[in-house]
Amino acid sequence: MIPAAFEYYRPKDMAGVLSLLEQHGDDARVMAGGHSLIPMMKLRMAEVPHLIDLQDVGGMSDIDIDADSIRIGAMVTQADIIDHADLADVAPILREAALQIADPQVRYMGTVGGNVANGDPGNDMPGLMQCLDAQFTLVGSGGERSVRARAFYEAAYMTAREDDEVLTAVKIPLPEGGYAYEKQKRKIGDYATAAAAVQIVNDGGTCAAASIAMTNLSDTPIYSEAAGAALVGTSVDDAAIKTAVAAMLGDIDPSEDNRGPVAFKKHVAGVILRRTIERAWSRA
Amino acid sequence: MKDEVTREERLDNLKGMGCSRKRVEDARFTQGKGNYVDDIKLDGMLFGDFVRTPYAHARIKNIDTSAAMQVPGVLAVLTAADLEPLGLHWMPTLAGDKQMVLADGKVLFQGQEVAFVVAEDRYAAADGIEAVEVDYEDLPVIVDPFESLQSDVVLREDLVAEDGSIPDGAHGPRTHPNHIFTWEAGDKQTTEEVLANAEIVAEESMYYHRTHPCPLETCGCVASMDKVNGKLTLWGTFQAPHAIRTVVSLISGIEEHNIRVISPDIGGGFGNKVGAYPGYVCSVVASIVTGKPVKWIEDRMDNLISTAFARDYWMKGRISATKEGKITGLHCHVTADHGGFDACADPTKFPAGFMNICTGSYDIPTAYLEVDGVYTNKAPGGVSYRCSFRVTEAVYFIERMIEVLAIKLNMDAAELRRVNFIRKEQFPYKAALGWEYDSGDYHTAWDKALKTVDYDGLRAEQAQRIEDFKAGKTRKLMGIGLSFFTEIVGAGPVKNCDILGLGMFDSCEIRIHPTGSAIARLGTISQGQGHATTFAQILASEIGLPADSITIEEGDTDTAPYGLGTYGSRSTPVAGAATAMAGRKIRAKAQMIAAYLLEVHDNDVEFDVDRFVVKGAPERFKTMKEVAFAAYNQAIPGIEPGLEAVSYYDPPNMTYPFGAYVCVMDIDVDTGVPDIRRFYALDDCGTRINPMIIEGQVHGGLTEALAVALGQEIAYDDMGNVKTGTLMDFFLPTAWEVPNYETDYTVTPSPHHPIGAKGVGESPHVGGVPCFSNAVQDAFRAFGNTHTNMPHDHWRIWKTANELGLHG
């Protein structure tokens, strides 16, 4: 559990970060909270000859809420999310999900940016951001661009971020309606056996919009457009939920691990999604 | 001097036995001031670490250390070839087998030690490990003990004669190259006859999975050879420091007086730190070779994959009874997977530990047990993880067999237990498999437990729940887990308990200081049990000095009297007895001194709390404090100066703590998630020394029981890869997963122990595992479940529900 030797950098601004990235290419990695990257380095599963610590860069630790969107800096921690009262008012699903990530010690260090940028299919924030249709801000030597969370994840640890880019912020349109984040896990600190994020709008007893994403049931988070669509226009009755669950099951592709075989995971994914929809709808 | 203090106040002032004295250790532990082995830093100290094999079974064709020697900071790389001239490339195990220190031509399990890299610090050592090139040639891997006994693949060529015959092992004849021993107890023929003619016979096969004690602090040591005076000092995480000293002397040839073994603070042991590991040998050799101190500390993965595991017992049982439920016979066969070397830490005459306690708390007239030990391509070990030797396996076996028999008889499992308990008047009770239980009152404990939890009410609620489930009103089932256990602890009588010839007595040496305080040293070593607190309480009550004035010291073989260490709940039964006996020697001498001072005959004074009083004249007394001063500073005719005593205690019998546990659990049939609603634990550990520490021990033991029952395992794939080598997959419960425990007690003292205490540290684990498991199994009983194997993690519970057709 000792990482290979690496150079450690702590630049004071983004220009310094970008120039290091330019210089070292894919031999360099940026680090926010370090709670995914450092264990990988200690296990020598990730070799990072040049490690760039972002904590002195500044400008990435704020949560800004305006009339129609939320901007969360990449260095905002899970604990910051949990403690932010205004955020809990406008987007309570963020707090509900953050409380289910790891344990308090990890949440004090682990960041939103690191969680979404690392591309680990076990992380909770990527699926949540897909559910909320977030945009990720990427800054590189060529300037700034935005990528939808729903288009960001390509495979496990493979994302649309280029090697010389840094994910600096997450922008989320203000969510509407009822919400729920449900996660089944073996124990505190574990990745999900199955987790579901649901945001749903109730218009006089009829579902007007529904957004559904699943975590750790494929090598990327799964935004199931079909599952959401199956609820729209219905009263979210048993038949509609069954259709939504079936649609979701068509989108996921879990693999066997110590949590259990595929059949179990699919079954649990269905149960968890049903419960998440029911709870979100009850709040809508 | 007028005595204005009441007797009650004098008793309170002692903080003796029976009071919840706060732990004196916690002042340093809670402030980060403990001194663990990794806190030891010596001038010029080097760091050693292992190259470990990724293969479970392979021949080693070549080891190239040249690149590693070029890594900055690396000073030496030891291989078996370097150890062979010293005769240290293999070492004896506690079970009478031998084990490679470093891979000698082949490897037998994933994670086995192949080379030892010695470097200036642990970072350089880690880089050196990466640079060692080992050329492996795959061999067929066997992870299944049943397959192993049929296989042509020989795991241990060293144990097969040149003509292909199979020499006897340490425990008698072997039937196959991969077979280690057959061990039996009881009457085979009569048991078969009873089973053949019985009215009812229930059968079950169960696998008690492999798991690991996983102490928070991993294993490690610092070896320092002083070449000037020829003395070797070895600090380490040793649960038995004296035994380590003797073993090091025997295998190294260094005279025992030139070896000093020190166990500093230890962060949990649970059996993992009883045995000897290659890291100790390599550190000593590296210190001798380099002339510098060498530290070796495992990381978490090293600990989980290579140091001693626990359990891995395949148990097949048959139990017979009359139609009314009176048990008539029990047959148990175990196939024991010991991994690549037999490194069990059991008393030498008991290669399956005390598995022959498997008749449990029941009056079973006839029984037979047979255990076959088998080699496989898994890590060696087989230690007693928070239990006396294999007792958790034995109690799990019988408590499952009772449930299976209850199902067969269509009888309530609590009632079945009640009609078969050994009755109070039968003690001392000679069990069919050989042990003599010292004392017990099982019916009283059981009735108290069932009454407290309102057992009948719980069964009524469960019946309603089953109806509701069948009617589609709920998706949660309710399980009521029962267990009644009898432990066998306090190994043990030297006549039948030894480890490698070292008798399992224990010891205490007391020095009273002139001003009325004291130091006592013991042959045991605390790993969190609170010995410094509780042993001082025993002494306080025995000698009448306040516990706060008594220092307890353990773990330094240069100062502590010889003892066999702490495991198997033996500290209180053996060293606790030695402490009381040594205290009584002090008191006997003190009584003579007091009588002299009071100018009466020895027999005319009597001990009272903290003083000697002239019989019939309570105003005439000498306190123990006054006696202590006089012992050193007053010339007393016929009595040597000083007040010291030592006692080596060879217990006449084991002690037999017992308890009654009940668990109430709700199970989500659709997700497999269990929710423990209630856990009640009644323990009878005889005389209670410190109720607060007992409660803490019960909470800890139950939590490790929950872990094992509900998810904790060392799992291997078919290639012998460990699938659970980190805490991501190896389940260690946190406060989140742990329910609220209700503790309770009865007191049935041990008749042969000086203070009647029986030991408690491991009881909750022994009783807890079957209780949690029985709760899961009981939830599905109404739907046709008889038995499913642990660990009951979410997917296995779900699988049970699925196979019973509960998912529609």
Side-chain angles (χ1 to χ4, degrees), chain B residues 214-550:
Chain B
C214 194
L216 283 188
E217 179 202 29
T218 58
C219 299
C221 69
V222 176
S224 180
M225 184 74 200
D226 184 332
K227 288 193 170 175
V228 176
N229 63 18
K231 285 197 184 282
L232 171 69
T233 307
L234 184 61
W235 291 263
T237 49
F238 310 126
Q239 287 183 238
H242 285 94
I244 290 284
R245 185 184 71 188
T246 300
V247 169
V248 168
S249 177
L250 290 173
I251 68 174
S252 71
I254 302 171
E255 282 196 84
E256 205 165 347
H257 76 103
N258 277 331
I259 302 170
R260 181 182 183 187
V261 175
I262 301 174
S263 293
D265 284 330
I266 297 180
F270 314 114
N272 184 239
K273 294 166 178 172
V274 173
Y277 293 121
Y280 307 158
V281 178
C282 288
S283 300
V284 169
V285 172
S287 180
I288 293 170
V289 169
T290 62
K292 293 183 172 175
V294 176
K295 178 185 278 187
W296 164 71
I297 302 284
E298 290 178 320
D299 69 24
R300 181 61 58 195
M301 286 176 81
D302 294 340
N303 182 253
L304 285 174
I305 70 175
S306 74
T307 46
F309 74 92
R311 322 286 152 82
D312 216 344
Y313 259 31
W314 298 83
M315 306 186 282
K316 199 168 179 344
R318 284 178 286 155
I319 190 166
S320 61
T322 64
K323 284 179 197 152
E324 293 73 35
K326 188 77 187 78
I327 298 170
T328 55
L330 177 72
H331 188 289
C332 176
H333 182 271
V334 181
T335 301
D337 185 340
H338 285 220
F341 306 97
D342 186 9
C344 285
D346 292 315
T348 299
K349 294 187 186 75
F350 297 89
F354 303 154
M355 183 65 198
N356 57 338
I357 194 76
C358 69
T359 51
S361 313
Y362 311 103
D363 183 14
I364 302 180
T366 312
Y368 176 70
L369 164 72
E370 186 179 48
V371 183
D372 282 298
V374 185
Y375 291 119
T376 61
N377 290 122
K378 298 183 187 173
V383 294
S384 307
Y385 167 12
R386 202 162 185 148
C387 64
S388 193
F389 311 100
R390 298 288 186 184
V391 177
T392 304
E393 290 91 323
V395 171
Y396 184 74
F397 170 78
I398 185 64
E399 289 304 289
R400 283 302 306 142
M401 289 309 295
I402 289 284
E403 296 280 323
V404 170
L405 178 61
I407 290 167
K408 186 100 179 181
L409 289 162
N410 194 25
M411 189 171 170
D412 179 80
E415 184 58 21
L416 179 59
R417 284 179 174 84
R418 191 199 314 272
V419 300
N420 285 289
F421 281 143
I422 301 162
R423 296 185 313 279
K424 188 179 174 183
E425 62 274 15
Q426 287 177 283
F427 291 93
Y429 173 82
K430 183 85 187 223
L433 294 178
W435 297 109
E436 187 180 286
Y437 294 24
D438 60 350
S439 63
D441 183 354
Y442 299 166
H443 287 94
T444 298
W446 196 230
D447 290 345
K448 186 175 184 186
L450 298 185
K451 185 161 182 274
T452 307
V453 300
D454 183 20
Y455 180 70
D456 293 341
L458 287 172
R459 285 293 178 202
E461 184 189 349
Q462 185 186 43
Q464 181 63 48
R465 181 73 71 85
I466 291 165
E467 268 186 41
D468 289 350
F469 183 87
K470 287 178 175 167
K473 292 180 191 166
T474 179
R475 294 296 293 163
K476 286 190 176 178
L477 293 176
M478 176 178 163
I480 303 167
L482 304 174
S483 83
F484 196 100
F485 66 91
T486 298
E487 258 257 75
I488 169 170
V489 307
V494 174
K495 64 178 188 283
N496 60 4
C497 288
D498 69 88
I499 292 185
L500 294 179
L502 307 176
M504 297 181 74
F505 60 83
D506 225 290
S507 58
C508 177
E509 181 190 277
I510 304 168
R511 292 181 189 178
I512 310 293
H513 303 319
T515 51
S517 63
I519 183 165
R521 297 188 172 99
L522 293 87
T524 45
I525 176 69
S526 183
Q527 305 123 39
Q529 292 91 338
H531 289 180
T533 307
T534 48
F535 287 129
Q537 290 181 255
I538 295 175
L539 264 189
S541 291
E542 290 290 344
I543 65 176
L545 294 175
D548 289 345
S549 300
I550 301 169

Side-chain angles (χ1 to χ4, degrees), chain A residues 44 186-188 258 275, chain B residues 130 668 723 727 729 737:
Chain A
R44 299 202 177 204
R186 295 172 296 179
K187 57 179 181 176
I188 283 293
N258 286 328
R275 290 178 187 176
Chain B
E130 291 281 301
D668 184 330
K723 292 159 66 181
L727 297 186
D729 289 307
E737 289 86 12

Side-chain angles (χ1 to χ4, degrees), chain A residues 59-130:
Chain A
M60 292 190 284
S61 300
D62 295 327
I63 298 172
D64 300 307
I65 303 169
D66 64 27
D68 50 20
S69 73
I70 303 162
R71 181 186 179 281
I72 300 174
M75 297 294 284
V76 168
T77 64
Q78 315 296 351
D80 295 334
I81 297 273
I82 291 164
D83 291 344
H84 201 286
D86 292 343
L87 187 65
D89 280 345
V90 298
I93 193 171
L94 287 168
R95 185 168 191 274
E96 183 163 300
L99 279 167
Q100 297 179 62
I101 295 174
D103 55 59
Q105 286 173 304
V106 171
R107 296 197 292 255
Y108 282 124
M109 291 298 291
T111 63
V112 173
N115 195 298
V116 298
N118 200 38
D120 185 335
N123 284 351
D124 292 277
M125 287 283 166
L128 179 64
M129 294 306 167
Q130 291 192 337

Side-chain angles (χ1 to χ4, degrees), chain A residues 1-5 43-44 184-191 193 256-261 263-264 267-268 271-272 275, chain B residues 122-123 126-127 130 299-301 668 670-671 673 723-724 726-732 734 736-737 793-795 798 807:
Chain A
M1 297 295 276
I2 303 281
L43 291 165
R44 299 202 177 204
Q184 180 168 338
K185 57 189 172 186
R186 295 172 296 179
K187 57 179 181 176
I188 283 293
D190 195 17
Y191 291 141
T193 302
E256 176 167 348
D257 60 20
N258 286 328
R259 292 171 190 83
F264 166 68
H267 187 107
V268 169
V271 173
I272 291 293
R275 290 178 187 176
Chain B
R122 65 181 77 196
Y123 298 92
D127 289 341
E130 291 281 301
D299 69 24
R300 181 61 58 195
M301 286 176 81
D668 184 330
D670 295 317
T671 60
V673 176
K723 292 159 66 181
T724 52
T726 75
L727 297 186
M728 171 63 81
D729 289 307
F730 185 86
F731 176 39
L732 271 195
T734 67
W736 185 266
E737 289 86 12
D793 58 5
H794 297 172
W795 98 257
W798 177 88
H807 292 145

